[in-house]
Each structure stands twice: as C-alpha cells, then as structure tokens.
Amino acid sequence: MKKRNFSTDLLEAADGPIIEDTQPPAELYGSTPSLASDNLLKTTIDGQECHLPFEVLEEIPAVVPHLNDSGISRMPFRCPVGGCTHSCSLLLFSMHISYDHTNVLLENLWPSETNTVLVDPNLSEDFPRLPQCHKLYLVSGKIRGFGEGKHRDKLPFALMSAKFTLHGTQRMILWITGPDAGVDRRQRYTMEAGRNDRKRLLPYAVAFSGEIVPLHNSQDGEEIHRSGAGLVIPEQQIASLVDRRTKLLEVCIHFH
C-alpha cells in the first residue's frame, strides 16, 4: 500500500472540487455596505472632515410627568446661596432668587440646549467656603402642572461654586443643585469648564457628568466633593485656565 503524505493530501484537496463548490451564504448576495459611519460624530480637523469614535444617538421623546406623579419633594428648604437663611418652597424659589439675589443670572433652557456662563473664581475670596450662586436655570420639558405665569412648568436648577482645602491645596468645586425626584429619577447633567485653545479637538479642559445635588441636601463644597457630585478644579489649574486672573472661567452646562 502506497504511503500518503498528509500535507500533499491537503494541497490536492485545496485544488479539488471541495473548495470550488463552496458557495458563500445566499444572504450575502445583494448586500449593501454598512452605513454605521453615518451615525458617528463628525468634526473638522485641519480643514478635513473626520469621523470620531462616538456614535450620535437620537433622543427618544419622553413622557413629561405631572408634578403629582413626579416624586419631586415639595418640602421647604434653606436657600442654597451662602449666607442666606431664607426658607424656600420649590414653587417660590425662582422668585426668591430673582428678587433677593439680583446678581444671579436667570436663564430659560431646554434639555437639548447647552448654555455657557462666565464665572469669576475669585468671587468668594472673602468667604471661600460659602457657596456662591452664579446662575439659575429654568428648565422646560421636565414637568407639567408646576408654577404659574412665566415660570410655569419650568424647574429651577442653580449653578453653584465654593472653595475648600484638600492636602494643603485650595480647590474650587462647581455643582448644580435643584429639585429632588428621588435617586432613580434624579436629574443628570454635564458640566465643562475652562476653554482651551479653540483649535484643539476637545474645547474644554475639565468636565463632569452626573446627578444634581438635591436642594434639601447640604451645599457645603467639601461635603459635595466627598460625595463625588461636582466638578473639582485645583487652584493651580484655575490660575492657568483664567490666565492669571486676566480672564473669567468659562462654564458650559447641558441638562440631559
């Protein structure tokens, strides 16, 4: 009996009808190229359009709950502005800020919009631990059956900041405080601060994304830092971002 070589048999089989008769699955015929790249985030770098590895997801319209079904607490709370001892109700909070804290900016906003505000990091130098309120956002599209007049169906969310010391270094923390709908339905947001060179791919230096701090919770900056609910910027980085106090700190907010 003639002895066969395994490698020779394999080569002969590769040239034989076994390979030639193999057909690709029928569902591959007539297929079109994937359009997945059309859903990728696009940007322009050095004059050329590029796709980034981030997919753009379409927002699914959500059912806007009525206040009675939202779980939002209506218990009174202390005004979060440092040094203010006024007891507020959620219904009158926006009015209190606009009348008693006239230096605070008010802005109407939808969840799909972003808003930029300039913050002075040295505003609280005399009382650095006291929380400062920089802007009050009246966010639409989140609730029904709340408020009256121009504030109807607009939930108030305040942009806050304070300073604290950690390991011998002073740090600034920024956060958003607002109505609490419970842990499972607490409002989320993204905050970016400190614009870099506008030619760079990522325009902001630091960012935070997470849940708001409920109005009923402590507004102490150090406590908020320990809970991981704010954007922390070390003193040295602040000095760089504001170009040694010649500029204000640019903060961009986006509610989800």
Side-chain angles (χ1 to χ4, degrees):
M1 183 176 179
K2 185 179 179 181
K3 193 173 182 179
R4 302 285 295 179
N5 183 280
F6 176 75
S7 59
T8 303
D9 291 345
L10 186 61
L11 290 173
E12 290 178 357
D15 293 331
I18 297 177
I19 300 298
E20 293 178 353
D21 292 342
T22 302
Q23 298 292 331
E27 58 267 22
L28 292 183
Y29 288 112
S31 63
T32 57
S34 172
L35 300 179
S37 61
D38 292 343
N39 294 327
L40 295 180
L41 184 64
K42 298 178 182 178
T43 189
T44 301
I45 303 176
D46 295 332
Q48 294 185 346
E49 188 178 78
C50 304
H51 288 90
L52 299 180
F54 305 105
E55 189 173 1
V56 180
L57 301 178
E58 293 185 7
E59 292 191 7
I60 301 174
V63 177
V64 179
H66 192 277
L67 179 63
N68 296 335
D69 304 320
S70 65
I72 291 177
S73 174
R74 304 186 209 182
M75 295 293 291
F77 54 89
R78 180 177 172 176
C79 174
V81 179
C84 182
T85 59
H86 187 80
S87 181
C88 301
S89 68
L90 185 60
L91 187 64
L92 299 177
F93 178 51
S94 301
M95 188 176 297
H96 164 67
I97 293 293
S98 60
Y99 281 96
D100 296 334
H101 301 286
T102 54
N103 60 314
V104 176
L105 302 172
L106 270 69
E107 183 83 25
N108 293 319
L109 203 65
W110 286 85
S112 58
E113 297 178 319
T114 58
N115 182 264
T116 301
V117 60
L118 297 177
V119 172
D120 184 359
N122 306 306
L123 187 63
S124 59
E125 279 193 335
D126 294 334
F127 304 97
R129 289 189 62 90
L130 286 180
Q132 305 291 322
C133 182
H134 302 280
K135 200 165 193 176
L136 185 69
Y137 295 99
L138 303 177
V139 181
S140 301
K142 289 292 181 180
I143 202 72
R144 293 183 296 114
F146 173 74
E148 298 291 341
K150 63 181 181 180
H151 293 163
R152 182 169 179 79
D153 296 342
K154 297 176 181 179
L155 287 179
F157 295 92
L159 170 61
M160 310 292 296
S161 76
K163 291 184 178 180
F164 66 98
T165 301
L166 181 66
H167 304 309
T169 302
Q170 192 175 68
R171 301 166 191 264
M172 180 181 187
I173 182 169
L174 298 108
W175 70 95
I176 295 287
T177 184
D180 186 17
V183 176
D184 296 335
R185 292 185 288 181
R186 192 165 289 163
Q187 178 65 47
R188 299 184 65 85
Y189 71 98
T190 296
M191 177 190 297
E192 300 167 290
R195 181 172 284 275
N196 280 323
D197 187 341
R198 294 178 183 271
K199 296 180 181 178
R200 293 185 182 179
L201 181 61
L202 299 177
Y204 287 93
V206 288
F208 168 83
S209 186
E211 297 178 346
I212 64 159
V213 176
L215 282 164
H216 295 84
N217 287 17
S218 169
Q219 304 295 321
D220 179 76
E222 190 170 356
E223 288 187 33
I224 292 172
H225 163 64
R226 287 198 296 266
S227 69
L231 174 61
V232 179
I233 311 176
E235 185 178 34
Q236 299 90 332
Q237 191 173 13
I238 290 177
S240 173
L241 294 175
V242 299
D243 198 11
R244 298 184 180 182
R245 300 192 179 189
T246 61
K247 299 178 182 178
L248 297 176
L249 183 66
E250 185 173 332
V251 180
C252 182
I253 303 292
H254 174 222
F255 290 94
H256 301 299

